[in-house]
Amino acid sequence: MPQDNRPARIDDVHEIARAMPHVTVEDGNSGNPVYQVGRKSFVFFRTPRPDAVDPVTGERYPDVIVFWVESDDDKQALVRDESTPFFTTPHFDGHPSVLLRAARIGELTREELAEIIQDAWLSRASKRRGADWLAARS
């Protein structure tokens, strides 16, 4: 599908996350969407926090999106690869997630974003739901 190779957009996060099975959307502390499966978040829009700031201005990033990952190895692969816009902060040390600024989402294709969101969902869904979803895609 040629459209999948276009730059990703914020609307794609919402569309892809909502399309996953058994998803609910909760409002975070500031009304930011939190996508959950089985009452476990897998993607959420973070409120500005002191651990994610612009290195030049010191301003808190207002547009950080958190994506769960399966393991620390997966996390390190994403944040150490300088070709990706993913990052982490000391606040997330030991936490199986990566961060992405919405301002940089277009550095990913829609297909790459879909893979990140689907992997986030799989990391949080029950084993049965994950297996059922994977089987339905085969």
Side-chain angles (χ1 to χ4, degrees), residues 13-87:
V13 175
H14 301 292
E15 179 185 323
I16 296 164
R18 284 177 201 235
M20 297 303 296
H22 309 286
V23 168
T24 58
V25 184
E26 300 292 327
D27 288 332
N29 294 340
S30 297
N32 295 349
V34 177
Y35 291 92
Q36 299 181 335
V37 57
R39 303 203 41 84
K40 295 178 183 177
S41 64
F42 67 97
V43 174
F44 65 92
F45 288 74
R46 197 171 179 230
T47 56
R49 304 262 320 216
D51 66 305
V53 298
D54 183 295
V56 175
T57 66
E59 298 275 325
R60 293 178 182 187
Y61 291 141
D63 62 344
V64 175
I65 309 167
V66 179
F67 300 89
W68 285 77
V69 294
E70 183 64 36
S71 69
D72 192 59
D73 287 342
D74 293 329
K75 174 181 185 163
Q76 296 307 318
L78 288 169
V79 299
R80 287 187 178 150
D81 182 348
E82 293 182 17
S83 72
T84 76
F86 296 103
F87 70 102

Side-chain angles (χ1 to χ4, degrees), residues 3-9 12 16 105-115:
Q3 187 177 2
D4 286 343
N5 290 324
R6 68 162 168 76
R9 300 185 292 242
D12 295 327
I16 296 164
I105 200 165
E107 294 176 37
L108 300 171
T109 66
R110 187 182 189 286
E111 182 177 359
E112 290 168 330
L113 178 65
E115 184 177 330

